[in-house]
Amino acid sequence: MSEQQTLTQGVTVETAEQLGLLAEEFDKIQRVLGRIPNFNELSVYSVMWSEHCSYKNSIRWLKTLPREGRRLLVEAGEENAGLIDLGDGLACAFKIESHNHPSAIEPYQGAATGVGGIHRDIFTMGARPIAALNSLRFGELNNSKTRHLLRGVVRGIGDYGNCFGVPTVGGEIYFESCYQTNPLVNAMSVGIVEHGKTCSAIAQGAGNPVFIVGSATGKDGIHGATFASGDITEDSAQDLPAVQVGDPFQEKLLLEASLEAIATGALVGMQDMGAAGITCSTAEMSAKGKCGMRVDLSKVPTRQPNMKPWEILLSESQERMLVVVHQGREAEIQAVFDKWDLHCVQIGEVTDTGRLEYYMEGSKVADIPAESLVLGGGAPVYDRETREPAYLAQRETINPRDYPVPSNALRAALRLAVHPNIASRRWVTTQYDSMVGIDNASTNAPSDASVIRLKNSQKALAMTVDCNARYVHADPYTGAAIAVAEAARNITCSGGEGLAITNCLNFGNPYNPEVYWQFVHAIRGMGDACRRFGTPVTGGNVSFYNQSAEDGPVFPTPVIGMVGLIEDFSQRMTLDFKRPGDLLVQVGRLSEDMNSSIYLQIYHNIAYSAAPEFDLEEEVRMQNLVRRLIRAGLVQSAHDLSEGGLFICALESAMAGRRGFSLRTVDGLRKDGILFGEAQGRVLLSIRPEDWDALQALAEEMGVPVHLFGEVTDDAVTVDAQDYGRISEWATRYEQALADMMDAPGA
């Protein structure tokens, strides 16, 4: 068959729609090519113009986020991950991404390959991954399917990360009915690289050879990007081939080989083969370098015989990279990958045509302008219809103060301590290796953020992932701003200052006007908060189509991954109470607001209410004060008030320090609001009694209210002089609650 015959075997608009393309997009493809595409070309466009790769329904709004800052070393979206300057010749690469749909169908491999993929984004830049975090959402824990998904996801994250040798140092888990069919699995990786030793995801230099390195290519993961760009349905299990299969031991070899190859100086560029596989890496690297590639698919090492061109192009088999090498230095790179017993096969070369020309057994099977495929190039951009959700007006009619104050606050406190969104995550975290690499400072001395010491330095990284989606659902603008503020607050309470964020934006179907309204307002809230905290957005991931016919769209869940710096590790702060007699001081405004609190949900059966009180300017002032107090040596412990309010905050610090506490509520304010309300902008400190006057003076100078709520005790817990038992009793309930739910009859 001649080259011309191969390229003119056209397809129909019906085929395009079956592959997830719109009729108008099929028309655009014909205009770009000047002819009807063949099936291979249409398959390439279908994955590259999918939501997962092109961000066609989100890029307009993503561009409104702050993308500049004095610490940024690359612009958002310029490389595989964000890169920020840490000083002393070091930089931090970090990113978060979703693997939601694969995890809903095959939780173990879905989660495992999500971990592997995000680590590859880090080490393709030349950075060595030093820490992993995750943000997980599941349905109600009393549901057997939820427990199945949770077991599989946690085991997948643990097995891959543990074998790969990077500690899992932090994360979050929430349980809400809206995630019953469509769980969220977001994975974050953080790595370190020396200045000048990074590698770019770019192709340049006509004649430079193009290599595929790592694992062989199989049929797993084909159309994975398309699969991620559609709703979960009852037929989704039939898409199981779209779920990739990971091998952490192969990835460990690939890590070491990649870093060694970068160190030779022989590489022009390198990119992970993630979503859309060879298609994505060849297209994005070529478009970035304003060049083209000629690729012989016959030379790609494959796992199955007789793979078709479109199968090779779209496969998302794991642990693979595309590498462009300086001409004449091929033997150096070949030697590196031979040493690590990995495939290293030249499959093509860079051209100056700007086109991607794919061949198979001597015949050209596809010919596409690279720029037409990519985000920021020819990929379509849409701005969808928005409509304010009807439920928001209903929430404004609910006033929590209309509900009676409980006669027995202890009963409410006991229920909160074992609630699945509050109770200890020990059942999960013990399945993760948090100590490999020995730099994790948070294992025995916990902080609000995870803290990793930098080798041969006084500095440490503080990192966290945060989002209370219930708040975002109540008010997308305010809830997204709160997610940024809480991430910054966790780093502040650990003695650091936030530098930049990555985000994972999990929403329902963008063609639903109410979902798109949530997305737009969440972006605005996130952007305003990031600008105020000076934490630019380095990149991240948009995951639309998280919904099902049974449950509808998930809560809007814009997860914030923030990295901060502790300049002097000796000023690192922990959350555990230190000694009896220390005073408990709340920094931030007194509030009895109970909106969107777990207390309101479980005690008064109010499923949904307005977002909790939040003032961005007050939050910034409060955090500035806490950092100054820590640096002045006036703080013994710091912990932010979040889910469960003041009581749960004090309880967690007490259990971490094996101490008790005594609290006194405020006359004239609701006792339940003071104890269990979740108003934002508040931190609980323990301080030495002799430091109270100095703390007050500094707080007054900075215009931040403070309130003395009680003191640390030996082991007794009291509220308004009422005996609440011993801290050991609370710890037993808190630590065992999640395990008991997982081991319940029928589990």
Side-chain angles (χ1 to χ4, degrees):
M1 183 179 295
S2 71
E3 179 177 302
Q4 186 62 30
Q5 287 176 314
T6 304
L7 292 179
T8 56
Q9 286 187 315
V11 294
T12 64
V13 66
E14 288 77 18
T15 306
E17 290 174 340
Q18 289 170 0
L19 292 177
L21 291 163
L22 303 175
E24 64 197 75
E25 292 171 346
F26 183 62
D27 291 340
K28 182 177 180 179
I29 292 167
Q30 293 179 74
R31 291 195 299 272
V32 169
L33 297 180
R35 55 180 169 80
I36 297 174
N38 64 30
F39 187 76
N40 298 316
E41 293 164 333
L42 191 67
S43 296
V44 167
Y45 277 105
S46 76
V47 291
M48 291 304 296
W49 285 9
S50 69
E51 185 66 42
H52 193 68
C53 290
S54 75
Y55 290 0
K56 59 189 176 186
N57 290 310
S58 59
I59 187 59
R60 182 199 161 193
W61 291 101
L62 296 179
K63 287 182 176 179
T64 68
L65 293 169
R67 295 146 60 95
E68 297 180 352
R70 61 184 179 86
R71 294 273 188 172
L72 293 192
L73 297 176
V74 298
E75 292 185 10
E78 185 178 333
E79 296 293 352
N80 286 324
L83 192 69
I84 55 174
D85 183 17
L86 302 178
D88 298 335
L90 294 177
C92 174
F94 67 107
K95 190 180 182 183
I96 189 169
E97 283 197 340
S98 64
H99 233 222
N100 302 336
H101 282 27
S103 300
I105 304 303
E106 211 299 293
Y108 180 86
Q109 289 294 350
T113 53
V115 172
I118 196 64
H119 283 318
R120 286 195 300 280
D121 279 342
I122 300 304
F123 69 76
T124 52
M125 294 184 66
R128 181 174 291 277
I130 61 169
L133 303 92
N134 53 70
S135 177
L136 311 177
R137 302 293 192 284
F138 297 94
E140 299 287 355
L141 200 50
N142 59 6
N143 183 285
S144 60
K145 180 182 177 181
T146 295
R147 294 191 292 264
H148 163 72
L149 291 172
L150 177 59
R151 286 192 180 95
V153 165
V154 170
R155 195 162 55 87
I157 291 171
D159 285 0
Y160 202 103
N162 297 352
C163 295
F164 183 57
V166 173
T168 302
V169 301
E172 59 174 8
I173 309 177
Y174 287 89
F175 301 92
E176 299 279 0
S177 59
C178 65
Y179 304 109
Q180 198 70 55
T181 303
N182 198 134
L184 303 184
V185 177
N186 297 176
M188 178 173 170
S189 179
V190 180
I192 297 294
V193 62
E194 294 180 27
H195 286 198
K197 295 187 177 180
T198 57
C199 186
S200 181
I202 193 169
Q204 286 178 324
N208 279 332
V210 177
F211 284 79
I212 188 170
V213 302
S215 295
T217 297
K219 294 185 179 183
D220 53 318
I222 292 174
H223 271 299
T226 307
F227 174 51
S229 303
D231 295 352
I232 289 287
T233 70
E234 61 184 9
D235 297 323
S236 292
Q238 298 174 15
D239 294 323
L240 193 60
V243 179
Q244 309 94 326
V245 178
D247 182 344
F249 299 106
Q250 188 85 340
E251 176 134 328
K252 175 62 175 173
L253 298 178
L254 187 58
L255 162 67
E256 301 300 340
S258 297
L259 296 183
E260 190 172 322
I262 291 169
T264 67
L267 297 188
V268 175
M270 172 187 285
Q271 181 162 327
D272 165 44
M273 288 185 189
I278 292 174
T279 293
C280 188
S281 52
T282 54
E284 291 183 348
M285 293 179 76
S286 297
K288 183 175 180 180
K290 301 186 184 307
C291 63
M293 286 187 189
R294 184 185 190 281
V295 177
D296 186 348
L297 299 176
S298 310
K299 295 182 178 180
V300 175
T302 57
R303 294 177 190 164
Q304 285 97 13
N306 304 316
M307 287 184 68
K308 298 180 177 63
W310 64 270
E311 291 177 319
I312 297 173
L313 283 167
L314 271 58
S315 168
E316 295 181 11
S317 294
Q318 298 291 284
E319 294 89 34
R320 300 178 303 155
M321 304 287 194
L322 193 73
V323 176
V324 178
V325 180
H326 288 290
Q327 195 169 14
R329 303 190 67 178
E330 297 90 340
E332 295 176 61
I333 298 306
Q334 188 73 57
V336 169
F337 286 93
D338 285 348
K339 168 186 170 182
W340 293 99
D341 197 24
L342 293 169
H343 288 297
C344 180
V345 178
Q346 183 176 347
I347 61 171
E349 63 181 25
V350 177
T351 68
D352 58 6
T353 65
R355 305 187 72 84
L356 298 173
E357 300 170 271
Y358 300 110
Y359 289 80
M360 190 78 173
E361 305 296 348
S363 296
K364 184 184 284 189
V365 295
D367 187 346
I368 302 171
E371 187 73 11
S372 73
L373 293 171
V374 300
L375 166 70
V381 176
Y382 301 113
D383 187 12
R384 297 297 175 194
E385 177 189 355
T386 63
R387 183 176 64 247
E388 180 174 328
Y391 70 79
L392 291 176
Q394 299 169 0
R395 292 189 174 185
E396 296 303 321
T397 66
I398 297 171
N399 184 356
R401 292 177 177 84
D402 293 340
Y403 292 81
V405 178
S407 58
N408 188 343
L410 173 58
R411 186 178 299 118
L414 288 168
R415 290 180 63 185
L416 279 172
V418 298
H419 190 278
N421 287 341
I422 289 177
S424 169
R425 273 61 179 129
R426 183 176 177 81
W427 181 88
V428 173
T429 58
T430 53
Q431 299 185 53
Y432 303 152
D433 187 341
S434 63
M435 290 299 290
V436 60
I438 69 171
D439 297 316
N440 183 5
S442 301
T443 302
N444 297 319
S447 301
D448 276 8
S450 301
V451 176
I452 298 287
R453 294 199 67 166
L454 298 180
K455 285 184 170 66
N456 305 315
S457 173
Q458 285 296 106
K459 298 180 179 182
L461 285 181
M463 57 199 77
T464 184
V465 288
D466 290 284
C467 179
N468 187 317
R470 183 172 285 272
Y471 299 166
V472 187
H473 191 241
D475 182 334
Y477 177 91
T478 299
I482 287 174
V484 175
E486 183 171 4
R489 198 185 314 143
N490 284 331
I491 289 174
T492 291
C493 287
S494 304
E497 184 169 6
L499 300 182
I501 77 160
T502 177
N503 56 41
C504 200
L505 309 177
N506 306 274
F507 289 80
N509 192 318
Y511 294 88
N512 178 335
E514 293 191 351
V515 167
Y516 204 68
W517 188 95
Q518 293 173 328
F519 174 75
V520 169
H521 283 74
I523 289 288
R524 288 173 172 165
M526 181 189 308
D528 285 349
C530 284
R531 277 182 280 271
R532 190 63 187 86
F533 281 105
T535 52
V537 180
T538 63
N541 174 230
V542 177
S543 176
F544 279 135
Y545 302 98
N546 292 292
Q547 65 180 63
S548 65
E550 300 90 339
D551 307 318
V554 300
F555 284 171
T557 312
V559 175
I560 303 298
M562 185 177 288
V563 171
L565 187 64
I566 301 173
E567 289 282 357
D568 184 349
F569 184 74
S570 67
Q571 294 185 331
R572 179 261 178 124
M573 182 51 57
T574 59
L575 63 84
D576 51 311
F577 291 157
K578 303 300 189 297
R579 62 189 63 82
D582 281 352
L583 304 181
L584 300 183
V585 180
Q586 178 189 290
V587 181
R589 178 167 30 135
L590 279 179
S591 175
E592 57 180 349
D593 177 60
M594 297 177 288
N595 274 320
S596 284
S597 65
I598 296 177
Y599 162 74
L600 202 62
Q601 175 190 357
I602 67 171
Y603 200 85
H604 290 295
N605 297 316
I606 301 177
Y608 306 115
S609 54
E613 289 178 0
F614 174 71
D615 184 296
L616 183 56
E617 293 304 318
E618 287 184 4
E619 178 84 45
V620 171
R621 287 198 300 272
M622 182 277 296
Q623 292 194 32
N624 289 339
L625 172 60
V626 170
R627 279 194 299 273
R628 284 191 62 180
L629 292 170
I630 290 173
R631 291 167 185 170
L634 299 176
V635 179
Q636 300 303 302
S637 72
H639 191 19
D640 82 310
L641 274 69
S642 54
E643 288 84 9
L646 174 66
F647 181 85
I648 294 299
C649 175
L651 181 66
E652 290 172 344
S653 289
M655 290 185 296
R658 301 179 184 274
R659 300 293 181 186
F661 61 92
S662 177
L663 294 178
R664 295 178 294 277
T665 57
V666 182
D667 291 341
L669 297 180
R670 287 183 61 124
K671 183 172 183 174
D672 54 349
I674 289 292
L675 290 177
F676 312 127
E678 297 178 15
Q680 299 298 292
R682 300 180 297 160
V683 165
L684 185 67
L685 307 178
S686 66
I687 67 168
R688 294 182 297 258
E690 58 267 28
D691 292 330
W692 170 238
D693 290 342
L695 182 149
Q696 280 187 302
L698 194 54
E700 184 175 355
E701 174 191 328
M702 298 184 67
V704 179
V706 296
H707 184 83
L708 184 61
F709 263 114
E711 56 275 328
V712 178
T713 66
D714 283 321
D715 64 349
V717 178
T718 64
V719 176
D720 292 334
Q722 180 183 350
D723 181 10
Y724 272 42
R726 296 290 179 268
I727 198 64
S728 57
E729 299 165 347
W730 285 94
T732 298
R733 297 187 191 98
Y734 176 85
E735 294 286 350
Q736 195 60 34
L738 193 58
D740 287 346
M741 294 177 211
M742 293 300 295
D743 295 336

